[in-house]
């Protein structure tokens, strides 16, 4: 049982190179644990598909699955090209859709599909667009919901506020479980820096705080362009670094950035036995 690890600006994933159809929620949680396991923000499981060149299932570290992840897709694309001999351009089926990848050295570009703003496509039970929301602590901010194949709730913060001084982790945990989002939601806290630049902090569904996020970058960029605050192309600055996002007139989104390889992990006999004996949920 082997895993291959890489990260996109600190947002790290493991690519499963073990037995097919082996992963379960409990096994994923054990592997992703940063103290007793290998440690990661998720696991990428290659699967068979007839819809694209390659197929992928994305596991969150809490054992749930995600429809789409920009950094996860870019890491999976790097693995396919570097370790499996894939061409520099190919398609990946993930979460019921097909995306396209382009490899240019350590820079990976993913066509992420069209940003969605209608409630049923996100999904969210009501339209949230610059909607006022009061948090449990009494603070009030504006929310915008957008779908990138997975649900996102963007909190637009005033540019004059110190973003890191806000209780955004508490807000993120609260909004992730907001009942208006039936599948829970990823949460972004964004500020406009200039017409082509946004600053962001991230609370990921099933993972909590992360240093970077690809689909989150696409979500905040789409909101900023739709609201008229920014213009494509955009630079999204996060604690881990900067990703580039381009958006066309139909809100089709392209994500571009680096992927850094960490290396391969081979599980020892005790860990293999532990995983085999774990029961699925």
């Amino acid at each position: 049982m082997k895993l291959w690890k890489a990260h996109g600006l600190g947002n790290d994933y493991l690519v499963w190179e073990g037995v097919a159809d082996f992963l379960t929620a409990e096994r994923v949680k054990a592997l992703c644990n940063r103290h007793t396991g290998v440690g990661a923000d998720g696991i990428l499981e290659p699967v068979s598909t007839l819809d694209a060149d390659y197929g992928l299932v994305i596991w969150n570290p809490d054992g749930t699955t995600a429809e789409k992840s920009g950094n996860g897709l870019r890491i999976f694309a790097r693995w396919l090209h570097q370790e499996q001999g894939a061409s520099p351009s190919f398609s990946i089926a993930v979460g019921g859709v097909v995306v396209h990848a382009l490899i240019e050295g350590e820079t990976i570009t993913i066509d992420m599909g069209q940003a969605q703003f209608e409630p049923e496509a996100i999904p969210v039970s009501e339209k949230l667009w610059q909607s006022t929301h009061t948090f449990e602590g009494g603070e009030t901010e504006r929310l915008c919901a957008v779908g990138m194949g997975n649900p996102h709730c963007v909190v637009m913060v005033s540019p004059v506020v110190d973003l890191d001084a806000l209780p955004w982790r508490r807000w993120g945990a609260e909004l992730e479980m907001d009942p208006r989002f039936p599948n829970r939601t990823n949460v972004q806290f964004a500020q406009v820096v200039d017409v082509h630049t946004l600053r962001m902090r991230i609370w990921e569904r099933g993972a909590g705080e992360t240093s970077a996020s690809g689909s989150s970058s696409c979500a905040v960029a789409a909101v900023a362009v739709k609201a008229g605050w920014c213009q494509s192309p955009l630079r999204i600055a996060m604690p881990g670094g900067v990703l580039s996002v381009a958006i066309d007139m139909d809100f089709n989104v392209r994500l571009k950035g680096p992927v850094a390889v960490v290396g391969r992990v081979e599980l020892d006999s005790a860990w293999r036995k532990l995983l085999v004996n774990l029961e699925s949920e």
Side-chain angles (χ1 to χ4, degrees), residues 5 13 15 19 40-41 49 66 85 93 101 136 172 176 182 192 249 266 269:
K5 186 172 183 177
Y13 281 84
V15 180
V19 181
D41 287 327
T49 181
E136 290 182 359
E176 177 188 355
V192 175
M249 294 183 63
E266 182 173 358
S269 58

Side-chain angles (χ1 to χ4, degrees), residues 178-194:
D178 191 303
R180 289 173 292 186
F181 292 90
N183 298 334
R184 299 186 294 162
T185 187
N186 301 282
V187 189
Q188 297 79 44
F189 303 88
Q191 291 175 312
V192 175
V193 177
D194 59 46

Side-chain angles (χ1 to χ4, degrees), residues 11 13 68-72 74 112 115 144 146-156 185-190 198-205 207-224 234-239 243-245 247 253 255:
N11 188 199
Y13 281 84
K68 192 185 288 186
S69 163
N71 278 339
R74 293 191 311 105
M112 291 286 288
C144 294
V146 57
M148 283 304 312
N150 53 351
H152 292 268
C153 182
V154 178
V155 182
M156 293 305 302
T185 187
N186 301 282
V187 189
Q188 297 79 44
F189 303 88
L198 290 157
R199 182 185 297 114
M200 176 175 67
R201 297 294 179 268
I202 309 131
W203 184 270
E204 281 199 355
R205 175 185 56 168
E209 177 184 355
T210 59
S211 64
S213 171
S215 64
S216 296
S217 298
C218 297
V220 299
V223 166
L234 297 102
R235 299 172 71 254
I236 313 299
M238 300 159 282
L243 289 174
S244 300
V245 178
I247 301 176
V253 183
L255 174 69

Side-chain angles (χ1 to χ4, degrees), residues 247-258:
I247 301 176
D248 69 15
M249 294 183 63
D250 295 320
F251 283 90
N252 295 303
V253 183
R254 177 174 288 184
L255 174 69
K256 183 176 182 178

